[in-house]
Amino acid sequence: MARITKRKNKKGWSYTATVRMKGHPSVSRTFDTKGEAMVWAAQTEEIIKAKKYNDPRLALKISFGEAIEKYLKTISSRKATTTHMREKASAKQLVDQIGRDTPLGTISAAIVADYRDTRMQIVSAYSVRQELALLSHLFSKARKEWGIPVDNPVENIERPAPPKGRTRFLTEDEAIRLLNACRKSRNKTLYAYILTLLHTGMRSC
């Protein structure tokens, strides 16, 4: 239900429309005329009914620390153990620099860019990319599944370029030890298979 409240101010009168609907936080806005207030109230009610209204205050009520904890518990914990442990380490770095009590809705692209630049002085580009990937996924889940109206600040910054990989070849001693281990395998074809790969440079499919 909407309620229109008339108030006296220095310029004359103002009209505050307040919309309250079950299951949603109340929202309000002030206008110069009663007609404008009534139109806004009616439109807002329709939007809420259509479940399209996102109160921006929701993004300020949840802290970054709370969001990280929810992500680790409900999303990261379902991943492989090694991935979960890596994300816990990345989450700690993010919380330590951005701040556990920082409202989720106040984390901007500028804050994330500062985080990126600071971390690049300490760790590799690969590590920073992993940490930013976690942060980006968190914001995506917050908006799409948790019902928190936030934009993804990671989408508005440049991520570090991925480090160039390196090609490593086995030494002669390593190759001999590998073949000796293959000879002892229960798989009778493993030795011939590995020997072929070593001599041709082919890759397994």
Side-chain angles (χ1 to χ4, degrees):
M1 295 293 292
R3 183 180 67 179
I4 309 298
T5 304
K6 184 178 179 181
R7 289 189 174 88
K8 181 73 173 179
N9 57 40
K10 294 180 180 180
K11 297 181 180 180
W13 295 94
S14 65
Y15 300 83
T16 300
T18 303
V19 177
R20 291 187 176 89
M21 297 187 71
K22 186 177 181 180
H24 295 271
S26 63
V27 291
S28 60
R29 187 172 171 181
T30 301
F31 298 87
D32 292 331
T33 67
K34 185 177 181 180
E36 291 176 325
M38 293 177 67
V39 169
W40 176 85
Q43 291 176 341
T44 301
E45 285 182 339
E46 290 301 315
I47 293 173
I48 292 177
K49 289 177 182 177
K51 297 183 178 179
K52 293 181 179 178
Y53 185 83
N54 285 318
D55 188 342
R57 292 175 298 178
L58 293 175
L60 302 177
K61 291 181 179 179
I62 180 171
S63 70
F64 182 52
E66 291 171 334
I68 282 286
E69 289 175 4
K70 183 173 182 177
Y71 179 90
L72 292 175
K73 182 178 180 180
T74 64
I75 299 171
S76 181
S77 62
R78 300 175 185 173
K79 301 179 182 180
T81 302
T82 53
T83 302
H84 179 52
M85 296 304 295
R86 186 189 71 237
E87 290 195 334
K88 286 181 68 175
S90 295
K92 183 180 185 305
Q93 295 298 332
L94 288 162
V95 170
D96 286 348
Q97 183 169 325
I98 294 177
R100 177 172 296 277
D101 297 327
T102 301
L104 191 65
T106 65
I107 300 176
S108 63
I111 290 176
V112 178
D114 181 65
Y115 175 88
R116 174 202 60 200
D117 295 342
T118 300
R119 291 291 289 159
M120 284 294 292
Q121 298 177 26
I122 304 171
V123 297
S124 68
Y126 178 75
S127 296
V128 177
R129 285 176 63 87
Q130 286 186 326
E131 292 164 8
L132 293 179
L134 184 153
L135 184 62
S136 180
H137 196 209
L138 182 151
F139 272 94
S140 177
K141 288 293 183 181
R143 184 172 185 83
K144 295 179 180 179
E145 298 186 9
W146 301 349
I148 302 174
V150 287
D151 292 324
N152 187 346
V154 184
E155 294 180 349
N156 297 319
I157 70 163
E158 291 187 11
R159 304 193 192 193
K164 295 182 179 179
R166 66 187 184 97
T167 302
R168 183 182 181 279
F169 298 95
L170 293 178
T171 64
E172 182 178 351
D173 179 62
E174 289 173 331
I176 292 172
R177 286 189 284 118
L178 173 61
L179 290 172
N180 287 336
C182 291
R183 286 194 182 97
K184 300 175 183 179
S185 172
R186 294 182 180 180
N187 186 340
K188 300 304 181 182
T189 63
L190 182 61
Y191 174 80
Y193 176 69
I194 296 299
L195 185 64
T196 301
L197 294 182
L198 289 173
H199 282 282
T200 64
M202 291 191 302
R203 296 182 180 182
S204 58
C205 297

